[in-house]
Amino acid sequence: MYLVFLGAPGAGKGTQATRICEKYNIPHISTGDILRANIKEGTPLGVEAKKFIDKGLLVPDEVVIGLVKQRLGEKDCEKGFLLDGFPRTLEQAKALNEFAKISNAINICVDENLVVDRIAGRRMCKCGESYHVSWYDKDTCAKCGSKLYQRDDDKEETVKARLEVYKKQTAPLIEYYKQMGVLSDVDGAQEMNKVFEDIVRILDDNN
Ligand code: AMP
């Protein structure tokens, strides 16, 4: 299983990706998580990436392509992987095509209004779990007990920029993977477990 998850910010990619990777025992590769880890550690890459992330803009292609190429070369990716948040531009998709053969691109579809609401109420944990204030009212993680926080780029002004970036630069990838014959749409407005079941059905049918 060589998977790509597409969808607007807040579509539920991260939540579903975590569950799918647990089920199929494949590594979850989130470029956003890798970049945030670098920011936290204060690496040169993190310092550079932060300038773009804080504005809701994409980190330059050559930076993320290099990161992903290196990560996919590691042993645990041999039998499969799930890319969450990569590719985000046509350039990235074309580069990926040179070093990996994607078996499924799952496009999690949601309405823009729903996305804004989801992001505004999203709370994260450092262990990777994420929650929404509408169904989780505690401020500590149910899995590991750490304190939950809101991502800096989940604040309203940045969200608008991220959505614009998605529409201009990332949405065209839907057509790209459709042409490749590997795209499946999933209705991301459904209840979380239902979205998960739909993805599992697609993957079990195709792999
Ligand atoms: P995410 O956690 O996937 O929403 O990513 C958070 C931010 O990290 C994005 O808004 C971008 O600034 C940056 N980022 C993550 N993945 C990529 C990518 N594939 N290409 C460029 N920038 C990225």
Side-chain angles (χ1 to χ4, degrees):
M1 272 180 194
Y2 303 99
L3 313 179
V4 160
F5 271 22
L6 299 173
K13 294 189 297 292
T15 307
Q16 296 298 335
T18 304
R19 297 185 59 182
I20 290 293
C21 287
E22 267 171 23
K23 178 170 170 65
Y24 295 103
N25 198 21
I26 50 174
H28 176 187
I29 301 165
S30 154
T31 41
D33 284 350
I34 297 173
L35 294 169
R36 279 186 290 278
N38 274 274
I39 293 176
K40 206 165 167 209
E41 286 160 25
T43 66
L45 169 69
V47 172
E48 186 57 21
K50 189 172 180 343
K51 296 178 196 160
F52 297 92
I53 294 178
D54 282 352
K55 294 193 193 103
L57 300 175
L58 295 183
V59 173
D61 284 339
E62 59 275 18
V63 176
V64 275
I65 290 169
L67 270 182
V68 171
K69 189 170 184 188
Q70 190 188 15
R71 181 65 187 86
L72 295 190
E74 288 173 26
K75 189 136 186 65
D76 63 334
C77 293
E78 272 173 14
K79 291 213 179 83
F81 54 76
L82 190 163
L83 285 169
D84 162 13
F86 182 96
R88 259 182 159 98
T89 64
L90 219 40
E91 280 311 304
Q92 292 178 18
K94 286 178 184 163
L96 175 65
N97 200 31
E98 300 290 313
F99 54 82
K101 185 164 169 19
I102 297 304
S103 54
N104 293 88
I106 302 290
N107 180 30
I108 306 184
C109 313
V110 277
D111 184 80
E112 194 172 316
N113 296 323
L114 184 63
V115 155
V116 173
D117 170 66
R118 279 197 184 169
I119 298 184
R122 178 156 78 172
R123 299 293 178 269
M124 317 297 292
C125 178
K126 64 178 182 197
C127 76
E129 282 299 297
S130 64
Y131 300 88
H132 192 275
V133 291
S134 64
W135 54 265
Y136 192 78
D137 61 1
K138 302 192 182 68
D139 62 358
T140 50
C141 177
K143 240 186 183 173
C144 76
S146 301
K147 196 158 171 48
L148 302 182
Y149 63 94
Q150 186 176 30
R151 268 170 53 173
D152 281 343
D153 63 346
D154 278 353
K155 308 270 157 68
E156 202 179 330
E157 321 77 68
T158 324
V159 170
K160 285 188 189 136
R162 286 165 64 204
L163 280 173
E164 284 310 307
V165 165
Y166 170 76
K167 279 191 249 174
K168 280 207 189 91
Q169 293 178 269
T170 310
L173 297 188
I174 296 169
E175 194 51 41
Y176 178 84
Y177 284 109
K178 199 185 269 174
Q179 298 277 330
M180 233 187 224
V182 295
L183 186 88
S184 306
D185 288 331
V186 170
D187 176 6
Q190 305 175 95
E191 194 263 316
M192 218 157 46
N193 291 324
K194 185 76 183 51
V195 180
F196 178 70
E197 283 167 18
D198 284 1
I199 299 173
V200 167
R201 198 171 313 117
I202 292 164
L203 296 179
D204 286 349
D205 279 355
N206 293 353
N207 290 281

